[in-house]
Amino acid sequence: MKFTNAKKIFDQTGNGRKGLPPWTFNNPELSQLEMEQVFLRNWFWIGHISDIPNTGDYKCQELGNERAVVIRGKDDNIRAFHNLCRHRGSRVVEGKEGNCKNAIVCPFHAWSYHLDGRLKTIPRADTFPDIDKSEYGLKPLDCEVWHGLIFIRFGGEGSSVAEAMASAEDEVSLYKMADMKPIDTFWDFEFDLDWKAVLDIDNEGYHVPKGHPELYDLFGNTYRDQITECGLSRAHGYLKDSPAKGPLVQNYLDTLPEGSYLPESHQRIWIYWGMFPGFVVTLMPDMIEVYQTYSLGHQKSIMAGACYALDDERPDMQKAREYNRKINMTVGEEDIKLVKYSDQGMRSQVYQGALLSDLELGIASFQNQLRDLLPVVTLELPPETGKLVDKNKELLYARPALRSAI
Ligand code: FES
Ligand SMILES: [Fe+2]
């Protein structure tokens, strides 16, 4: 793993250590552009292969104006489609997840599709002109399974998930993620604020000692944030040996069983790997937690995730996982409070932007990746209303290497 340093990252920001200008956290035109250019053109994590274990099992995802369905076919392959009927555009499956047995049947007029997306039947086909059925299958989406995790991409092109996560490969491979199963249902936190504000708090560990007493109790001073040369973030903290201050962390440390499938180097460490824009996998000795932060529109965002683990019936392991969940839920609740404080401050007339420390290089790295995609966020003041998209194009054209992104 090759990591970059804080100087290099801050040199790229274009505004030193100030972070993105405050207006970028509260601008409806920018929110719209981010949805189109960031979320609909990058890999989006959907779940784990064990979330849809049986033929016909599916999961749905809405993102901006788009809807996707990921479904396991009769050949056991997992595919992703636009959840969009070719007749009049209804969603073809409903809810967040379910099973469609042998075929996907549209709830509107009952056009049906094979699980591999081909059009199967049209009720009262005699009332339509002759059509070539092969032209009317569900529209496919890019879909990749990486170590058991399912990703989709609505548009754009570029690296596969495996290529983007290459620097994490050796470490992630240790965890047998593809063999894991969910140990709980999906959780989510919704926020009435910009997704970048949520990402910013998740991209730095500087707030851990004050903001997350349990996590600090667990790691002591061993927590570190690192950024790879290709922009992945990696954070880690070693589980302390000395007695913990609080009962929750002590219980976790006491119950976490000795003896593990992991090499010794990874038996007492929590590791967070993050990929732009908002994907994180947390590798822990007893389980993994996968989550993602994304936009739901202007001033609406969500962090959603789930925990997966290998089968292990040892009572101590079961207890350790419960304590782990409690620690992480506590951390989540603390972040919700802190992210609101920071977001509300950014709306103040006298707020002049951040001042980032070396310990917040993850924020600068994430923001640099956004600056590359959307140079309009480098402007100190917002463009005139109605002009943001054009201004962004103008700035992109001024950077030849990025013209293809327009
Ligand atoms: S919209 Fe799907 S069958 Fe009519
Ligand atoms: Fe936090």
Side-chain angles (χ1 to χ4, degrees):
M1 285 176 262
K2 283 197 178 155
F3 295 104
T4 188
N5 59 50
K7 179 176 180 329
K8 204 166 163 191
I9 290 173
F10 284 117
D11 281 350
Q12 284 167 11
T13 64
N15 70 351
R17 292 167 178 265
K18 286 182 70 178
L20 292 179
W23 71 266
T24 60
F25 291 83
N26 189 10
N27 182 288
E29 288 175 52
L30 180 60
S31 299
Q32 176 70 26
L33 192 64
E34 286 169 341
M35 182 57 76
E36 289 163 12
Q37 296 293 325
V38 177
F39 291 104
L40 294 175
R41 293 172 70 91
N42 275 290
W43 289 107
F44 189 92
W45 171 64
I46 286 283
H48 188 278
I49 50 175
S50 58
D51 289 322
I52 48 171
N54 304 310
T55 302
D57 282 352
Y58 67 83
K59 270 181 79 75
C60 294
Q61 180 65 47
E62 217 164 300
L63 205 50
N65 290 328
E66 304 300 332
R67 273 164 294 282
V69 54
V70 172
I71 189 161
R72 188 181 284 272
K74 289 183 177 165
D75 56 2
D76 221 27
N77 284 328
I78 290 171
R79 297 178 180 83
F81 302 101
H82 286 270
N83 188 0
L84 183 81
C85 183
R86 297 300 304 277
H87 176 220
R88 276 179 47 209
S90 165
R91 58 199 68 193
V92 287
V93 291
E94 301 172 89
K96 285 188 173 167
E97 58 195 10
N99 181 284
C100 355
K101 301 204 172 117
N102 287 321
I104 301 165
V105 182
C106 178
F108 203 165
H109 313 91
W111 280 35
S112 70
Y113 302 85
H114 295 282
L115 302 184
D116 60 10
R118 286 173 298 131
L119 179 61
K120 191 175 180 193
T121 56
I122 300 179
R124 296 295 310 275
D126 56 312
T127 62
F128 286 89
D130 270 350
I131 60 163
D132 178 355
K133 270 193 184 174
S134 68
E135 300 270 307
Y136 281 83
L138 296 176
K139 289 202 177 278
L141 287 172
D142 283 351
C143 181
E144 182 176 340
V145 176
W146 176 77
H147 290 284
L149 302 180
I150 309 166
F151 292 80
I152 60 167
R153 187 167 57 181
F154 283 92
E157 48 194 24
S159 315
S160 64
V161 176
E163 285 164 348
M165 295 294 292
S167 357
E169 180 63 29
D170 288 350
E171 191 157 74
V172 167
S173 317
L174 301 173
Y175 286 79
K176 302 184 182 176
M177 281 167 34
D179 297 331
M180 292 185 175
K181 306 223 170 63
I183 58 171
D184 204 347
T185 52
F186 262 66
W187 54 261
D188 64 55
F189 296 125
E190 285 198 25
F191 301 86
D192 288 325
L193 46 83
D194 191 84
W195 67 283
K196 299 188 292 303
V198 184
L199 249 301
D200 278 358
I201 197 165
D202 208 41
N203 274 332
E204 54 92 355
Y206 181 38
H207 70 286
V208 170
K210 177 68 175 164
H212 298 310
E214 272 82 13
L215 216 48
Y216 190 56
D217 196 14
L218 185 66
F219 298 148
N221 281 322
T222 65
Y223 189 94
R224 295 285 178 278
D225 284 306
Q226 298 165 300
I227 305 295
T228 68
E229 285 184 342
C230 56
L232 293 181
S233 53
R234 180 184 185 271
H236 67 273
Y238 288 94
L239 309 187
K240 62 157 53 161
D241 291 326
S242 52
K245 292 198 179 95
L248 182 54
V249 171
Q250 189 64 56
N251 286 338
Y252 175 65
L253 294 171
D254 286 346
T255 50
L256 190 61
E258 303 275 328
S260 163
Y261 68 101
L262 290 164
E264 214 176 315
S265 56
H266 285 70
Q267 289 181 12
R268 307 283 295 180
I269 186 171
W270 283 14
I271 302 161
Y272 307 72
W273 276 101
M275 176 175 71
F276 183 86
F279 166 77
V280 175
V281 54
T282 311
L283 308 169
M284 298 171 282
D286 45 328
M287 65 165 93
I288 64 164
E289 181 157 35
V290 191
Y291 62 93
Q292 186 169 249
T293 302
Y294 57 99
S295 172
L296 294 176
H298 180 54
Q299 292 292 305
K300 295 263 175 222
S301 49
I302 185 168
M303 183 185 270
C307 296
Y308 303 92
L310 295 171
D311 286 334
D312 191 331
E313 295 307 319
R314 288 178 288 177
D316 269 4
M317 181 60 97
Q318 300 293 323
K319 278 194 201 135
R321 287 173 180 167
E322 276 174 38
Y323 294 128
N324 178 325
R325 296 291 300 122
K326 280 187 190 147
I327 294 170
N328 273 310
M329 291 316 276
T330 307
V331 169
E333 280 155 22
E334 288 158 351
D335 276 340
I336 289 174
K337 178 189 81 173
L338 296 170
V339 80
K340 277 185 193 151
Y341 288 175
S342 154
D343 181 75
Q344 285 161 356
M346 278 193 275
R347 294 158 198 249
S348 161
Q349 285 178 20
V350 295
Y351 181 66
Q352 290 182 308
L355 175 65
L356 300 175
S357 89
D358 284 359
L359 299 177
E360 294 165 291
L361 84 171
I363 293 182
S365 167
F366 160 78
Q367 294 183 349
N368 281 344
Q369 292 178 77
L370 192 69
R371 287 179 182 103
D372 276 350
L373 285 178
L374 304 178
V376 72
V377 302
T378 61
L379 301 177
E380 277 307 307
L381 293 171
E384 244 178 83
T385 306
K387 300 277 172 58
L388 184 137
V389 170
D390 286 345
K391 187 68 194 170
N392 190 60
K393 278 187 185 164
E394 187 188 313
L395 293 169
L396 276 173
Y397 270 119
R399 296 156 60 179
L402 294 173
R403 277 180 201 161
S404 61
I406 300 172

